[in-house]
Amino acid sequence: AGCAARVRAARLHQRLLHQLRRGPFRRCQLRRLLCYRPGGGAGGLQHGFLLCDPRDSPDTRSALLALLDACPEAPRPRLAEFSGDPLCRLWQLPWERQDGLGWRQLGRERVVPVPEPVLHPVVPDLPSSGVFPCREAARAVLEACTSFIPEARAVLDLLDQCPEQVQKGKFPVIVIEGLDATGKTTVTQSVSDSLKAVLLKSPPSCISQWRKIFDDEPTIIRRAFYSLGNYIVASEIAKESTKSPVIIDRYWHSTATYAIATEVSGGLQHLPPAHHPIYQWPRDLLKPDLVLLLTVSPEERMQRIEGRGMEKTKEEAELEANSIFRQKVEVSYQRMENPGCHVVDASPSRERVLQMVLSEIQNNCN
């Protein structure tokens, strides 16, 4: 029901998630629950939780009802219990909150299996919740956040100083992408030195000071911040590429791949298929001449991370702990189109990797 409503719902969902991991719910198993209409379509998705109490304690039920009573932002939450019977059938028992009269349990409904959807149900919603197709779509999200995130207004003020349409100069623009510990920092610096190029990063330094604030927000807000960072850095790219080559440490592909891998639950088979529109470059964002994707084996990455001895980011911890998530990020990178990613094996020596990267640039750029 509009961007502001999506933002409010996402923040409520995140707050409930934190509360369902504490206190009387700590012994429960908490899983992601998606409710969607058969046939899909944007706007029909609802995010929820599946809470499994191995003790089947009435205290857990009471605590859950009390938690929902204390949520004025959700006046009519959808709540139900699931239970099996001796014939191995599954039943849903809905609960209803009566105004001023507490909760009452309604009848029961049989739960039956249905065919898995052809497309993961979150995919139609991605353009309005994480992989924004244009500047205005991401801007509307941060506009809805200005009343409770002061830094959102500061980001928008910087964005509004950037022209909506910018053109690349005559010099090549090269993006270098890759997971953490694939050698991006070293390669981008070495390439920029070799080509006497300007080195830029996304998000740019003018807003990167606020990353921690937005990283703690729900996906829709976090991804809007990173998306607008791309548009701000695009203005710098347009200016600098009139004078020299430009090398960029991460750009739109990084923003999109992490959003897709995070939001699309399940394994690789649930990712949008190759050539799906979600992998297309935004129509109003300055496009680079070349995108290089640095890759190393998972074992090599972990050795490098441990060797750096640095504190892991939230996404890095997820990449390390969840091999499926890492694979979804890598496959999403490889499915990006217009422009696609040129894969470079970053396992050899620093000198050899630099040589391969410069060769790719020479072969693909004027």
Side-chain angles (χ1 to χ4, degrees):
C3 191
R6 279 178 173 269
V7 167
R8 287 195 302 271
R11 296 194 94 218
L12 172 61
H13 187 270
Q14 185 181 65
R15 183 158 66 84
L16 285 172
L17 174 63
H18 294 327
Q19 291 172 319
L20 289 169
R21 287 174 171 164
R22 299 200 301 256
F25 309 109
R26 279 179 299 180
R27 295 184 180 179
C28 298
Q29 297 171 3
L30 184 63
R31 298 184 182 277
R32 185 179 180 183
L33 186 65
L34 293 175
C35 177
Y36 60 95
R37 297 189 185 98
L45 188 69
Q46 293 181 345
H47 294 264
F49 307 101
L50 185 62
L51 192 68
C52 179
D53 180 5
R55 299 168 301 159
D56 194 22
S57 169
D59 294 340
T60 304
R61 185 182 296 107
S62 300
L64 181 58
L65 298 180
L67 173 61
L68 294 176
D69 281 335
C71 266
E73 309 98 313
R76 296 199 175 277
R78 296 182 61 185
L79 176 65
E81 290 184 46
F82 293 93
S83 64
D85 66 16
L87 297 178
C88 296
R89 294 174 300 186
L90 185 63
W91 299 88
Q92 175 180 269
L93 293 78
W95 284 82
E96 180 183 62
R97 183 159 64 192
Q98 306 171 90
D99 295 336
L101 299 173
W103 292 80
R104 66 166 182 166
Q105 198 167 57
L106 306 177
R108 65 177 189 169
E109 301 163 341
R110 176 85 184 277
V111 179
V112 296
V114 296
E116 189 171 291
V118 175
L119 196 64
H120 194 287
V122 305
V123 173
D125 268 17
L126 282 176
S128 57
S129 65
V131 188
F132 301 102
C134 63
R135 168 171 160 161
E136 192 51 42
R139 191 189 193 287
V141 173
L142 282 207
E143 192 69 57
C145 299
T146 53
S147 62
F148 53 86
I149 306 178
E151 293 79 6
R153 173 50 59 196
V155 174
L156 293 175
D157 289 343
L158 288 167
L159 177 73
D160 291 341
Q161 296 171 26
C162 303
E164 291 195 10
Q165 295 292 334
V166 292
Q167 297 295 322
K168 188 181 78 64
K170 64 180 181 179
F171 287 92
V173 175
I174 298 108
V175 178
I176 298 181
E177 296 274 8
L179 305 184
D180 286 351
T182 53
K184 277 195 323 306
T185 302
T186 302
V187 170
T188 51
Q189 188 62 62
S190 299
V191 172
S192 64
D193 291 343
S194 298
L195 300 180
K196 295 181 173 55
V198 171
L199 176 57
L200 300 175
K201 290 186 177 184
S202 184
S205 57
C206 60
I207 67 169
S208 60
Q209 59 187 312
W210 301 314
R211 283 181 69 169
K212 179 66 172 68
I213 294 168
F214 288 94
D215 280 347
D216 289 337
E217 292 292 334
T219 295
I220 185 173
I221 300 173
R222 185 167 68 250
R223 293 302 161 199
F225 168 76
Y226 284 103
S227 292
L228 295 182
N230 292 328
Y231 285 92
I232 293 172
V233 83
S235 184
E236 297 180 36
I237 296 168
K239 180 173 63 177
E240 296 296 342
S241 62
T242 63
K243 299 176 286 186
S244 69
V246 177
I247 307 298
I248 314 160
D249 185 345
R250 287 187 170 172
Y251 197 26
W252 181 79
H253 283 354
S254 176
T255 307
T257 52
Y258 279 91
I260 293 169
T262 301
E263 293 302 292
V264 176
S265 56
L268 289 174
Q269 72 275 18
H270 292 121
L271 287 174
H275 312 304
H276 188 277
I278 205 68
Y279 298 120
Q280 296 292 321
W281 192 267
R283 58 183 179 268
D284 59 351
L285 181 61
L286 186 149
K287 193 182 295 185
D289 296 290
L290 179 66
V291 181
L292 299 175
L293 175 63
L294 304 183
T295 63
V296 297
S297 69
E299 296 76 21
E300 174 75 11
R301 267 189 67 253
M302 290 317 306
Q303 286 179 8
R304 293 183 181 187
I305 290 170
E306 290 164 3
R308 287 194 298 187
M310 297 172 62
E311 186 179 346
K312 300 181 182 70
T313 64
K314 191 184 299 184
E315 284 182 339
E316 180 55 53
E318 178 74 4
L319 286 169
E320 178 184 346
N322 189 336
S323 63
I324 294 176
F325 177 71
R326 185 184 66 247
Q327 291 169 29
K328 288 193 293 185
V329 170
E330 291 171 339
V331 171
S332 296
Y333 263 129
Q334 293 169 17
R335 289 183 181 176
M336 293 293 160
E337 293 182 336
N338 192 29
C341 294
H342 293 246
V343 178
V344 175
D345 179 9
S347 300
S349 68
R350 185 178 305 180
E351 293 75 18
R352 175 60 182 147
V353 173
L354 175 60
Q355 185 181 14
M356 290 190 293
V357 167
L358 291 174
S359 177
E360 285 282 349
I361 294 171
Q362 185 175 12
N363 293 336
N364 290 279
C365 296
N366 250 332

